Amino acid sequence: MQSTQVAIIGAGPSGLLLGQLLSRAGIHNVILEQRSDEHVLARVRAGILEQGTVDLLEEAGVADRLHQEGLVHDGIYIAFNGERQHIALSSLTGGRSVTVYGQTEITRDLMAARAAAGLSTHYEAAGVALHDFESGGKPWVSYLRNGKPEVLHCDYIAGCDGFHGVSRHSIAPDAFKTFERTYPFGWLGVLADTPPVAPELVYAQHPRGFALCSMRSRTRSRCYIQCCLTDSLNQWSDELFWAELRMRLDPVSAAALQPAVALEKSIAPLRSFVAEPMRFGRLFLAGDAAHIVPPTGAKGLNLAASDVRYLAQGLIEHYREHSSIALNHYSARALQRVWRAERFSWAMTRLLHSFPDQGSFDHRLQQAELDYLFSSTAAQTSLAENYVGLALDA
Ligand code: APR
Ligand code: PHB
């Protein structure tokens, strides 16, 4: 039988970052992860970090490689109607920028820091089950390790186990409300060793559908095109993908596109989802376990980081100062930020995609909105301040 102060379910960015912040504050924690460490590191995810996320990674002591290898971007491009408009993120927001650094690399850095500190992560923990978190007593977690039953006693449980995790599903259905929107398309993503088409990200709206040219480095691109939810990967050869992407870009970006062999190719659906509240007795949800945003605004990882920041602050205050004020405010504080990011991610998705059910009136409105964005500094400032991240404590 083991015991810890905080049992963390899930070793994605949320769980690993929370573990790191707590450990640095002297709070004992154990992470239970259902997959292997290799599996966790093989997942390709987005990688646009707000300044607040970079600051938090610094506070966690895991930002050295990020500062060496991350690319600081002061703007993005929006392409529409054969033109691309630069949105000067930094000059519109008093000097704030975003950093391009893959989520996989953050996960790798956090795993290395945890291993170096000799902290416990039980990978391949099967059948994780959460007990007694709403009983008023101390909670505990049961799981199988190498097929043998184990029990972990704790003061608190942090559910950092993603959208499909066990934590949210352990809560009585009448104890929370969910809010959800699904979208009638997906994103087909390709990772390839080819230089980015522009020094900064290009988001494109086109009658054939949305496209995005992102990057992982100056020699590696991550590109996406809107696709049908029914599409399968074997319908999309590399040649077809690059040809379709090229058609959706503005001429300047299209001319710079150099097709290359796909290192990874995947299709992901888009979803907006929020579960409220984010606290249930001694169980706290953080990251994708509590909310999902469509990737158009690049907010998923940044929201996970801000949840973790608030939760770590609450737990540290509780153990150090015996005050539960911040813990009691965790859910409301996190949800305020979540809804702002939900709104922005939904608005970016609506602005830049082709909706199959869109009538001609809606289509004209979308074009008018892009036209307004291209010509109005006020509209660009609004996009920029959301993209770089609204102030954490707002
Ligand atoms: N038991 C233990 N671990 C589990 C369980 C379970 N029953 N279910 C899921 N997990 C693990 C998953 O294997 C995964 O490693 O929880 C982890 C959750 O990680 P993520 O899905 O990456 O979620 P999170 O850490 O909140 O990160 C949010 O990921 O999806 C992106 O856009 C999102 O960038 C954001 C970030
Ligand atoms: C990515 O680099 O994978 C990426 C960038 C920006 C987004 C989504 C994904 O909005």
Side-chain angles (χ1 to χ4, degrees), residues 10 12-14 33-35 43 45 103 160-162 165 287-288 300-301:
S14 302
E33 164 61 53
Q34 70 176 358
R35 304 288 193 167
R43 294 193 288 235
R45 299 267 176 87
Q103 181 173 314
C160 299
D161 46 352
D288 278 14
L301 177 60

Side-chain angles (χ1 to χ4, degrees), residues 161-325:
D161 46 352
F163 183 65
H164 298 288
V166 65
S167 298
R168 197 180 67 253
H169 294 107
S170 309
I171 302 158
D174 59 357
F176 67 110
K177 261 185 103 162
T178 59
F179 303 83
E180 183 161 19
R181 171 152 300 175
T182 53
Y183 298 86
F185 40 71
W187 275 19
L188 168 63
V190 159
L191 184 73
D193 277 329
T194 183
V197 297
E200 293 168 336
L201 273 62
V202 181
Y203 288 84
Q205 197 277 339
H206 189 274
R208 297 180 68 90
F210 169 80
L212 167 62
C213 293
S214 179
M215 65 190 75
R216 290 292 173 271
S217 69
R218 290 192 180 84
T219 54
R220 181 167 282 190
S221 291
R222 176 70 169 161
C223 300
Y224 301 91
I225 54 174
Q226 173 183 347
C227 66
C228 293
L229 279 170
T230 49
D231 282 4
S232 68
L233 284 177
N234 54 28
Q235 273 171 265
W236 284 100
S237 65
D238 292 2
E239 292 70 26
L240 215 55
F241 174 83
W242 296 115
E244 186 63 38
L245 175 62
R246 193 189 295 279
M247 278 191 267
R248 297 184 190 187
L249 295 175
D250 61 284
V252 177
S253 308
L257 185 67
Q258 298 175 35
V261 178
L263 304 171
E264 196 264 358
K265 200 185 279 167
S266 50
I267 294 180
L270 273 71
R271 184 193 302 274
S272 298
F273 173 87
V274 182
E276 286 185 1
M278 289 169 62
R279 178 190 185 162
F280 306 87
R282 287 173 175 258
L283 167 65
F284 296 88
L285 299 181
D288 278 14
H291 41 75
I292 297 286
V293 284
T296 327
K299 288 285 166 244
L301 177 60
N302 295 295
L303 268 189
S306 73
D307 289 354
V308 164
R309 178 177 185 260
Y310 296 147
L311 184 53
Q313 277 174 357
L315 289 166
I316 292 168
E317 207 173 288
H318 170 78
Y319 283 110
R320 279 202 188 144
E321 294 159 30
H322 308 287
S323 160
S324 294
I325 295 173

